[in-house]
Amino acid sequence: MNISSFHLVKIPFGKAIKGLFINLINTKTKGLIYSEYMTAMTLGSPILSPSRFLIREVAIFAQWESEKDLENFLEKDNFGKILNKGWHIRLGFMRDWGKIKGYKTPKKNQILDNPNSPVVAVTIARMKPLAVPRFLQWGIPVEKLVRDHSGTLLSIASFKFPNTVSTFSIWKNIKEMESMVHGHSKMPKPKRHSNAMKERERKNFHFEFTTLRFKPLSEYGSWKGYSNYTKKTV
């Protein structure tokens, strides 16, 4: 079955710098359909803050022909072995909005076990260079909304030079996620996301953009001392 995976790991500084310029994932890896190597960011932090770009903290989003191909990569590939020391989650595709080059929309959609099951959202965008200041103006308030939302179990942002930005979030359930998206949550200033989407429709920030929704299949490892994020739904 075609699956996706999302990985978080802290790597040596030198390798992290190398990864900014050279793809550390071999594009010819058996079974690999698509991958993004990104540097993790702290959601909602000021652009010039030292915590904004966490150079040693790496976020990888990938798509695989099968779970076996992912396992072979983690067990046998040199960089895969490094990723295997961190945390990752395996994901079954549910639906998408928009398109990103290289990602193949699966023909079969996964269904959550029940309405209270956790759900994962991934966004990937290729920025228009001249739109970056306007994007930050609208985007950072949204980052803070997601970061502080009572419905999230884990949320991060990530960046790849020169113009790729991404977010990853695990939600307690679809209701929590969709209430945030549509501006109906009980958080302060709940319409930050919906207002940003209206601004994007008025004048797009990106030349490529997708939002992907996934069913969590399984989790492995730990991130900053925590694990089993999808089990913490209470």
Side-chain angles (χ1 to χ4, degrees):
M1 180 181 70
N2 180 314
I3 70 163
S4 295
S5 61
F6 188 87
H7 308 253
L8 291 170
V9 68
K10 192 170 185 178
I11 65 176
F13 184 78
K15 186 172 285 293
I17 294 297
K18 182 179 179 181
L20 296 177
F21 304 99
I22 300 172
N23 192 347
L24 298 181
I25 301 178
N26 189 335
T27 56
K28 295 182 179 179
T29 299
K30 184 179 182 300
L32 178 65
I33 299 172
Y34 168 90
S35 68
E36 293 281 357
Y37 174 101
M38 299 170 287
T39 300
M41 300 190 295
T42 302
L43 278 171
S45 61
I47 296 303
L48 299 179
S49 167
S51 67
R52 182 65 181 180
F53 300 100
L54 308 171
I55 298 298
R56 293 185 58 199
E57 296 182 10
V58 172
I60 305 288
F61 175 66
Q63 185 183 28
W64 305 87
E65 293 284 359
S66 71
E67 192 165 8
K68 185 63 177 177
D69 290 320
L70 168 59
E71 290 172 351
N72 286 337
F73 169 73
L74 295 174
E75 292 171 5
K76 299 176 182 179
D77 183 89
N78 288 337
F79 187 61
K81 292 176 182 178
I82 293 174
L83 288 185
N84 210 17
K85 295 178 181 178
W87 173 89
H88 81 273
I89 188 168
R90 302 180 187 186
L91 305 165
F93 175 83
M94 291 178 62
R95 61 181 300 183
D96 61 0
W97 295 263
K99 299 292 179 185
I100 203 82
K101 185 178 179 180
Y103 186 87
K104 295 182 180 179
T105 301
K107 295 180 180 179
K108 184 177 180 180
N109 294 13
Q110 295 283 315
I111 300 174
L112 293 177
D113 296 331
N114 64 71
N116 291 318
S117 295
V119 63
V120 170
V122 176
T123 66
I124 303 171
R126 313 282 190 218
M127 300 294 301
K128 296 177 179 178
L130 295 180
V132 170
R134 188 168 59 92
F135 172 77
L136 293 173
Q137 176 187 350
W138 290 89
I140 289 182
V142 177
E143 289 183 13
K144 292 178 179 179
L145 174 62
V146 173
R147 179 195 66 192
D148 300 334
H149 202 287
S150 59
T152 56
L153 300 167
L154 174 64
S155 58
I156 71 158
S158 52
F159 171 81
K160 181 173 73 175
F161 183 82
N163 65 340
T164 299
V165 292
S166 177
T167 62
F168 169 87
S169 52
I170 304 176
W171 294 83
K172 292 179 180 178
N173 53 58
I174 282 184
K175 182 180 179 181
E176 293 277 9
M177 180 178 67
E178 292 186 343
S179 68
M180 183 281 296
V181 168
H182 299 298
H184 302 316
S185 64
K186 296 180 181 179
M187 301 296 293
K189 300 179 181 178
K191 295 189 180 296
R192 281 173 279 179
H193 185 277
S194 58
N195 288 340
M197 294 303 97
K198 290 177 182 177
E199 175 64 12
R200 190 189 74 186
E201 291 173 5
R202 185 189 72 83
K203 188 176 182 182
N204 209 337
F205 308 110
H206 326 106
F207 62 86
E208 257 190 315
F209 176 84
T210 190
T211 294
L212 302 160
R213 184 181 295 180
F214 296 99
K215 174 183 178 179
L217 300 177
S218 55
E219 281 184 66
Y220 299 83
S222 63
W223 177 242
K224 296 187 175 180
Y226 295 95
S227 59
N228 297 317
Y229 288 93
T230 56
K231 306 298 183 185
K232 300 171 184 176
T233 56
V234 179

